Amino acid sequence: MKILQLEYFIAVVNHNSFTKAAQALHISQPSLTTTIKKMEHDLGYQLLQRSTKEITITEKGIQFYNHALYLVQQYHQTIEQMYDLKLSQTPKIKMSIIESTAYWVSDVIRQHHQQHPDQHYQITEILNPEILAQKLTSFELHLGISNDPIRHEDVVSIPLYEEDYVLLAPDDAFEQQTPISIKGLPIILPNRPYQVRKHIDDYFTHLEEPPNIVMEVERFGTAANFVQQGMGYAVIPHVYYQSLQQQHLQLSALSIKPTIKRHIYINFARNRQYSKHVRNLVATCQKYWATDQDGKAHNMIYQ
């Protein structure tokens, strides 16, 4: 069975119509119908049930569809990677970040690109450390930013900086600007199982008092919008607040007592040979934060 046949079947399911799928694929409807019927004959079971009014997918068709999606995705990823190798001597650097680091990472990438103007980049967001470890060790990513070290024997985690969490509040919410206790305050928190949520849950467990959660959201930007609307207060990383200031929102970041801290790490696979450009990007991240790990990091990444 060919990839093209799988793509035809996926198109029929997605469009729920042979006519619309044929138009999207730029082929004739009879040709598409014949292809699907041949697939069903070769497989020995029915993928789709057809009537004069609609198309429905069978249970076996659903399982086949899921496998087909995976195979087609893997095929195109492989082709893209092969194309990258042919395109130039500097394949794109694939790096994952977390939302709160987007502002400074963009500055680092700008600096790196000034040194390497022929370099291309692909930036994604990965919040789950287990998924990040899997993508680093399967060589789908070169680098990944995390807010905890990656606990994997084949991943190296280098600390970049430490930061406090702060309380995001409207400018006029509190008279005093001294550290604020967040006990009992209506809090907007990230959804589980994000690492930031784990940090905050652990904090309240240590305080032996449950948080007063009024809302759970996916992103810090969403939380900031709800704080702006007076829906509650958000606990966010201090570095992320610095990026919010660029938006000129009427929001303040107040110190929390007792403090909540976290470390940000840059991660890479231990057993991968990295190009000079990738190594330089790691060094640029370290230089940006003026860490004292520069010599050690270079020794680790060159191994």
Side-chain angles (χ1 to χ4, degrees), residues 162-165 199 259-263:
E162 180 187 76
E163 65 175 328
D164 290 344
Y165 285 100
H199 295 164
T259 59
I260 318 175
K261 295 181 179 291
R262 72 170 185 176
H263 289 85

Side-chain angles (χ1 to χ4, degrees), residues 51-284:
S51 70
T52 55
K53 294 184 178 180
E54 63 181 3
I55 299 170
T56 56
I57 187 169
T58 66
E59 286 299 316
K60 288 185 178 179
I62 292 172
Q63 296 180 48
F64 183 84
Y65 174 79
N66 290 330
H67 287 297
L69 276 179
Y70 174 78
L71 290 172
V72 169
Q73 181 184 30
Q74 292 298 308
Y75 170 78
H76 285 294
Q77 285 181 353
T78 300
I79 293 298
E80 180 186 2
Q81 291 168 359
M82 295 305 100
Y83 178 74
D84 284 350
L85 292 177
K86 182 180 178 181
L87 182 64
S88 71
Q89 295 302 311
T90 55
K92 69 181 68 167
I93 294 177
K94 298 182 179 182
M95 179 179 182
S96 75
I97 64 172
I98 52 180
E99 181 192 3
S100 59
T101 64
Y103 181 76
W104 70 260
V105 168
S106 65
D107 197 15
V108 166
I109 295 293
R110 178 187 59 79
Q111 294 178 31
H112 186 267
H113 193 255
Q114 288 176 346
Q115 301 173 32
H116 308 285
D118 60 335
Q119 182 64 61
H120 296 77
Y121 309 86
Q122 184 178 85
I123 308 298
T124 58
E125 280 192 24
I126 297 179
L127 303 178
N128 187 313
E130 294 180 359
I131 294 176
L132 176 57
Q134 185 272 321
K135 288 187 176 293
L136 288 170
T137 55
S138 64
F139 312 127
E140 294 178 58
L141 290 172
H142 294 92
L143 304 169
I145 301 294
S146 66
N147 55 17
D148 272 325
I150 301 299
R151 310 293 184 184
H152 193 291
E153 61 182 0
D154 294 324
V155 174
V156 176
S157 295
I158 300 175
L160 290 177
Y161 62 93
E162 180 187 76
E163 65 175 328
D164 290 344
Y165 285 100
V166 295
L167 183 70
L168 188 66
D171 283 343
D172 57 354
F174 297 94
E175 292 183 4
Q176 76 276 23
Q177 297 297 309
T178 55
I180 300 292
S181 170
I182 59 176
K183 287 184 177 181
L185 290 180
I187 299 292
I188 301 168
L189 292 182
N191 291 328
R192 292 191 174 99
Y194 297 153
Q195 290 299 102
V196 171
R197 176 59 181 272
K198 183 179 183 302
H199 295 164
I200 298 171
D201 283 347
D202 289 347
Y203 177 81
F204 276 98
T205 298
H206 182 72
L207 294 180
E208 298 182 345
E209 180 170 326
N212 177 18
I213 303 171
V214 296
M215 188 177 298
E216 295 172 283
V217 297
E218 289 286 330
R219 300 177 65 83
F220 294 128
T222 304
N225 290 332
F226 282 115
V227 172
Q228 185 89 357
Q229 296 299 320
M231 297 293 295
Y233 308 99
V235 178
I236 66 170
H238 184 260
V239 169
Y240 181 74
Y241 173 71
Q242 292 175 330
S243 67
L244 282 181
Q245 289 179 301
Q246 307 301 316
Q247 302 177 34
H248 305 292
L249 300 176
Q250 302 301 309
L251 299 173
S252 298
L254 306 176
S255 299
I256 296 172
K257 63 175 183 181
T259 59
I260 318 175
K261 295 181 179 291
R262 72 170 185 176
H263 289 85
I264 298 299
Y265 295 81
I266 187 165
N267 308 276
F268 52 86
R270 186 182 303 276
N271 300 318
R272 180 171 183 174
Q273 182 179 7
Y274 286 94
S275 69
K276 177 182 177 182
H277 288 195
V278 175
R279 297 195 299 267
N280 182 255
L281 181 54
V282 174
T284 304

